[in-house]
Amino acid sequence: MRIAIAGGGPGGLYFAALMKQLDPAHEVTVWERNAPDDTFGFGVVFSDETLSGIDNADEVVHTAMESRFARWTDIDIEFDGHRFTVGGQGFAAMSRKDLLGILQRRAADLGVTVHYRTQVPDVDELRASHDLVVAADGQNSTIRTKYADVFRPSLDRRCNKYIWLGTDLVFEAFQFFVRQTEWGTMQIHGYPYSDTGSTFIVEMHEDVWRRAGFDRTEGEDLPPGVSDEYAVARIRELFAEELKGHQVLTNNSRWINFTTVRNERWYDDNLVLLGDAAHTAHFSIGSGTKLAMEDALALAACLHEHPTVTEALEAYQTERKPVVESTQRAAQASLEWFENIGMYAGQAPAQFAFNLLTRSRRITYENLRERDAEFAALMESEFARHEQAPEVAPAMFQPVRIGPLELKNRVIVSPMDMYSSVEGVPGDFHLVHLGSKALGGAGLVMSEMVCVSPEGRITPGCPGLWTDEQRDAWRRVTDFVHAGTTGRIGLQLGHSGRKGSTRLMWEGMDEPLEDGNWEVIGPSAIPYGPGCHVPREATRADLDQVVADFTAAAERGVQAGFDLIEVHAAHGYLLSSFLSPVANRRTDEYGGPLENRLRFPLEVFDAVRRAVPAGIPVTVRISATDWVPDGNTEDDAVEIARAFIEHGAAAIDVSSGQVTKDEKPAYGRSYQTPFADKIRHRVAGPAGVKVIAVGAISSYDDVNSILLAGRADLCALGRTHLYNPQWTLQAAAEQEYRGAGAQWPVQWEAGRRKPPSSRTDRIPPRLELLREGAAGQVHLRWTPGPDGPVRS
């Protein structure tokens, strides 16, 4: 093959070397616009997984890298005068300059032609004269820009400012310094990369950056290689304590806004993107160098394994794109956390440290417990102390109050529509369905959306509370929960609005009924999506009737014995559609700005609150974002939550979306939790109001991690409880917890021990001798010297 590579960074050089190893007959040429010793940046970090792949593919490169690594396992966090150390992580870093030197020598030894200080020739000519053209020309790739119609890139410029520096202070571990200044929160990401230096990245929100006066050089056009000396001088002064008298080192250092690069497609015919040209991931979660070298490994392997370039490039994209997208999701969570770091300034130091460590959702409480049991135990005990809990226990099993209602634990069975009622009357199915979830150990079991009128149903199978017969049927369910369990049961009240008069879910979700239709109303005559009912715009008389229906249903809910009532103002149903500018285009006092769009949902909430005794909390579920342009955003959700809190909401149940069929949610594990986190820290927490996180929370580790980090006060799980109605009790058994937070029904007590796994005749070792280097592996710190790194 004739291979042309645009870009002589680590990704391009490593790919070139790999291809020459696979077949010395390959003609591989690299064009690099910089000189060989023009190296920007300081250290690069690798995971053990990446290093294993490099070792398998090129032992020469791996051995050379290994000899230059700084290795450590600890992360140090300094916040508000407190220092926390967590071990067991595993890091390897080296100088970027050393890495490039290794790859440059390896490429030269293998016969790769590299043109330094040379612009890449015309790409169309290269494509015509070569079998493969690799665009490894970085984040600002001109090749990607030229073929943007094919690759369809998106460039997401973020709001934090950061500057990449170095220092001759050799850190012993990964360092996070978080400083509260008169201008706002600033943070440092630092790590050692050799026996002489460390990377030292200063980051802050752009608003903080401007208040601190760092924008003084914003208009200056610094030549390539010239650093922002004004910023460096200020940083030396501001972080003198952290620097301990050591120098700040520069290398083309200037303030940058991080840009996340994504591409829908990574190749076109014989042209392929690699490294930062294809993708970027925020520096707080991973190294672009690491990802680029992983790309090079995958691309070389695919070309070796497939008979044609087209098949190889398709395989490369299929293999790497999902992996990179997963990394980018974690990086997105991490960068957004640092963008909002000031929001956590009031957290207790231990909780802040845990929050920082688990920000990307890739590290969880269980991960930390396996790596550093002492640190994990400290987090659990600190949570118990902060919550004034009677015992140290897994966070999910600590008691909690929603207004006047005390719950034995922080697990909620989320409302889930079952479409199994007849004329709105719940039957035996609901008794077994909800009763089994209460027996299964959840602190609170929520009903599905119970409709306030026949016209407020989603489907003919939805339950209601517009008749006394329905009330009495619900009483049968609540009586069972109260008599047979220590859990509590809540009622979710709602009106379907424009999403009503549809088929049962398994007959066609959101599809209009063919027979037996009823008229649906909405704030405006806008359908939920193509093929859906066009609602009639609600009149004042309609709104008055809805308020009366909610009031009567709430009164019946109290009579039916529910412990809590939730007003459903999410998921595009009637109240949600009033809140959303996507569905609400009214020109009267109920449309327009958010203040007006809130008016009717608050009227309904106030009516329910008046109808319910003070001893029963009233909560609200909201959609925190509409997931569409021009819809509600998470910042709108904060204001919506604030309004409901001012009107007496005891908890905010934070969901998202389902307001329009045009939505494009960013699905992922615990993907809605950041919305709950923002509402909790900005409005609910200071008001003493609880926040419930929902959405793709599926393990007890997720629940404990969310609670310990302070992202929510409770977690609601739906599908997880369909998979296993006894999920909460099983989680207690898995964690070997026995206490008031997970009381087994007396009939089931024999099952509270985790069943043994498959039998084995293997005799476990009775005594393991202490071997040199085997002790203290949790904490390995980088203190270079004649005796190597220090284990503590």
Side-chain angles (χ1 to χ4, degrees):
M1 293 180 65
R2 296 192 72 216
I3 301 172
I5 302 172
L13 287 173
Y14 189 45
F15 173 72
L18 290 172
M19 292 304 294
K20 286 294 282 187
Q21 287 178 83
L22 288 169
D23 187 346
H26 289 322
E27 181 185 323
V28 184
T29 306
V30 179
W31 285 268
E32 169 55 48
R33 64 181 179 178
N34 295 310
D37 56 351
D38 285 347
T39 305
F40 303 119
F42 294 92
V44 293
V45 184
F46 293 95
S47 67
D48 290 339
E49 184 180 16
T50 304
L51 294 176
S52 176
I54 293 172
D55 189 16
N56 290 335
D58 190 331
E59 188 175 346
V60 173
V61 168
H62 182 269
T63 300
M65 292 172 64
E66 181 73 34
S67 67
R68 291 166 173 80
F69 277 144
R71 285 191 177 273
W72 70 95
T73 64
D74 283 358
I75 297 175
D76 294 339
I77 300 169
E78 293 193 15
F79 170 71
D80 195 25
H82 296 263
R83 180 187 175 100
F84 299 90
T85 295
V86 56
Q89 307 300 310
F91 298 100
M94 66 184 299
S95 161
R96 180 179 172 85
K97 183 175 182 179
D98 285 350
L99 175 62
L100 274 175
I102 291 169
L103 294 172
Q104 287 167 356
R105 288 190 294 274
R106 182 62 169 153
D109 290 345
L110 290 167
V112 175
T113 301
V114 183
H115 300 292
Y116 292 106
R117 301 184 183 88
T118 307
Q119 293 290 342
V120 66
D122 181 77
V123 179
D124 289 332
E125 292 180 8
L126 289 178
R127 295 182 73 176
S129 58
H130 289 74
D131 300 298
L132 177 70
V133 178
V134 179
D137 53 343
Q139 174 182 313
N140 299 315
S141 169
T142 57
I143 296 175
R144 182 191 65 225
T145 301
K146 180 174 182 177
Y147 297 98
D149 59 327
V150 176
F151 297 126
R152 296 185 293 280
S154 68
L155 307 178
D156 180 17
R157 185 178 184 272
R158 304 304 303 183
C159 61
N160 267 18
K161 289 283 190 179
Y162 72 97
I163 186 168
W164 205 288
L165 301 163
T167 176
D168 59 354
L169 170 61
V170 180
F171 293 133
E172 294 184 359
F174 215 118
Q175 300 283 338
F176 287 105
F177 298 106
V178 181
R179 287 279 304 276
Q180 304 300 335
T181 73
E182 60 185 288
W183 307 285
T185 306
M186 301 180 186
Q187 61 267 12
I188 292 169
H189 310 248
Y191 57 86
Y193 60 79
S194 72
D195 57 1
T196 61
S198 302
T199 294
F200 193 82
I201 305 170
V202 181
E203 184 188 21
M204 65 195 75
H205 194 281
E206 188 165 326
D207 293 342
V208 177
W209 178 79
R210 292 190 184 281
R211 287 196 295 267
F214 283 114
D215 60 347
R216 174 175 162 177
T217 56
E218 186 175 19
E220 293 185 17
D221 186 14
L222 299 175
V226 175
S227 298
D228 185 340
E229 293 300 336
Y230 169 76
V232 173
R234 287 290 310 280
I235 287 167
R236 285 194 187 103
E237 177 186 348
L238 281 170
F239 297 102
E241 183 178 342
E242 287 79 7
L243 288 165
K244 300 177 181 177
H246 286 263
Q247 291 298 309
V248 174
L249 309 175
T250 63
N251 184 348
N252 198 46
S253 303
R254 68 274 306 274
W255 292 107
I256 305 170
N257 289 73
F258 186 83
T259 299
T260 300
V261 175
R262 299 179 179 88
N263 284 274
E264 289 187 27
R265 186 176 172 87
W266 286 17
Y267 73 95
D268 176 50
D269 191 26
N270 65 339
L271 173 63
V272 64
L273 303 177
L274 185 147
D276 284 356
H279 49 72
T280 59
H282 193 251
F283 55 83
S284 63
I285 195 64
S287 165
T289 301
K290 164 190 172 307
L291 290 174
M293 292 183 72
E294 289 174 347
D295 283 355
L297 279 166
L299 180 57
C302 289
L303 287 162
H304 186 62
E305 293 164 358
H306 291 83
T308 68
V309 169
T310 300
E311 290 175 276
L313 298 189
E314 182 179 2
Y316 163 68
Q317 177 176 298
T318 300
E319 175 184 334
R320 281 296 292 163
K321 196 164 185 279
V323 175
V324 168
E325 287 174 345
S326 176
T327 299
Q328 287 184 314
R329 284 193 294 272
Q332 186 76 9
S334 181
L335 75 84
E336 288 179 3
W337 192 91
F338 280 109
E339 287 174 348
N340 292 292
I341 194 171
M343 191 168 71
Y344 307 112
Q347 280 195 314
Q351 188 171 67
F352 178 90
F354 183 85
N355 195 355
L356 187 154
L357 288 167
T358 59
R359 65 193 182 278
S360 73
R361 301 193 286 275
R362 283 198 160 184
I363 294 178
T364 64
Y365 174 73
E366 281 297 304
N367 296 150
L368 292 175
R369 194 161 70 95
E370 291 172 5
R371 299 171 185 183
D372 190 339
E374 184 179 351
F375 177 81
L378 172 65
M379 294 301 103
E380 215 167 59
S381 62
E382 281 293 301
F383 185 80
R385 184 184 65 81
H386 186 265
E387 296 293 316
Q388 300 180 330
E391 62 176 343
V392 176
M396 64 186 292
F397 293 116
Q398 294 291 12
V400 65
R401 298 183 75 90
I402 298 179
L405 178 66
E406 183 163 352
L407 303 176
K408 63 180 178 181
N409 63 47
R410 296 170 185 246
V411 178
I412 298 175
V413 176
S414 200
M416 293 175 283
D417 292 323
M418 294 289 109
Y419 310 108
S420 299
S421 297
V422 178
E423 297 300 325
V425 178
D428 289 346
F429 175 86
H430 298 83
L431 175 65
V432 175
H433 165 60
L434 296 173
S436 67
K437 307 303 183 294
L439 286 169
L444 176 67
V445 176
M446 290 298 300
S447 75
E448 62 194 279
M449 186 176 94
V450 176
C451 305
V452 297
S453 66
E455 300 78 23
R457 290 175 296 168
I458 309 167
T459 76
C462 291
L465 259 176
W466 64 83
T467 71
D468 291 347
E469 180 187 6
Q470 294 162 350
R471 175 201 62 195
D472 296 343
W474 281 116
R475 183 83 206 195
R476 185 167 167 243
V477 177
T478 63
D479 283 348
F480 177 86
V481 171
H482 294 144
T485 81
T486 53
R488 297 291 179 261
I489 184 166
L491 166 68
Q492 186 186 70
L493 284 179
H495 187 295
S496 61
R498 65 180 184 165
K499 294 178 74 174
S501 192
T502 60
R503 303 180 189 183
L504 304 183
M505 181 181 68
W506 45 86
E507 294 176 351
M509 190 166 66
D510 298 323
E511 293 183 15
L513 289 168
E514 292 183 357
D515 300 307
N517 284 353
W518 57 86
E519 184 181 43
V520 298
I521 60 171
S524 303
I526 302 171
Y528 173 60
C532 296
H533 292 296
V534 177
R536 176 172 59 80
E537 183 172 305
T539 64
R540 179 67 257 180
D542 293 324
L543 300 185
D544 290 342
Q545 184 61 55
V546 169
V547 172
D549 290 339
F550 268 93
T551 301
E555 291 171 347
R556 287 192 175 95
V558 173
Q559 296 163 9
F562 285 99
D563 301 298
L564 172 149
I565 294 178
E566 178 174 273
V567 173
H568 198 347
H571 298 172
Y573 298 120
L574 184 62
L575 303 186
S576 172
S577 61
F578 265 89
L579 291 171
S580 172
V582 173
N584 184 349
R585 305 285 175 80
R586 297 174 76 99
T587 57
D588 61 7
E589 69 271 28
Y590 293 102
L594 181 59
E595 179 184 4
N596 287 3
R597 302 198 308 273
L598 267 161
R599 185 169 279 120
F600 179 63
L602 290 174
E603 285 181 11
V604 170
F605 184 88
D606 290 343
V608 171
R609 181 64 275 179
R610 287 192 300 269
V612 174
I616 297 177
V618 178
T619 66
V620 62
R621 173 171 275 206
I622 65 172
S623 283
T625 176
D626 292 344
W627 296 115
V628 290
D630 302 322
N632 279 333
T633 67
E634 57 194 270
D635 292 326
D636 295 318
V638 169
E639 298 310 312
I640 290 169
R642 190 192 309 276
F644 279 109
I645 289 169
E646 290 173 352
H647 284 247
I652 308 295
D653 188 357
V654 187
S655 188
S656 72
Q658 301 180 52
V659 174
T660 170
K661 282 194 172 183
D662 294 331
E663 68 176 4
K664 293 184 178 179
Y667 289 120
R669 196 172 100 233
S670 307
Y671 72 105
Q672 295 177 154
T673 301
F675 306 136
D677 189 5
K678 182 169 285 190
I679 287 170
R680 184 176 189 268
H681 281 92
R682 290 197 174 172
V683 290
V689 170
K690 297 299 187 288
V691 169
I692 302 166
V694 308
I697 302 169
S698 57
S699 71
Y700 65 78
D701 189 19
D702 287 340
V703 175
N704 285 329
S705 298
I706 290 167
L707 298 175
L708 286 169
R711 298 183 180 113
D713 301 287
L714 304 98
C715 291
L717 299 87
R719 291 175 177 85
T720 303
H721 281 109
L722 295 181
Y723 178 76
N724 179 3
Q726 282 77 48
W727 180 83
T728 306
L729 293 180
Q730 182 175 320
E734 294 278 353
Q735 297 173 85
E736 299 181 349
Y737 168 75
R738 294 187 181 186
Q743 293 180 342
W744 288 69
V746 292
Q747 300 91 334
W748 293 359
E749 281 189 350
R752 66 183 178 183
R753 287 186 296 274
K754 183 180 178 182
S757 56
S758 58
R759 179 175 174 173
T760 176
D761 293 327
R762 183 180 67 84
I763 299 173
R766 298 300 303 280
L767 180 64
E768 185 173 334
L769 295 177
L770 200 62
R771 295 177 175 84
E772 183 180 357
Q777 289 294 322
V778 169
H779 296 294
L780 172 67
R781 301 182 74 80
W782 176 247
T783 53
D787 299 324
V790 172
R791 295 169 173 85
S792 60

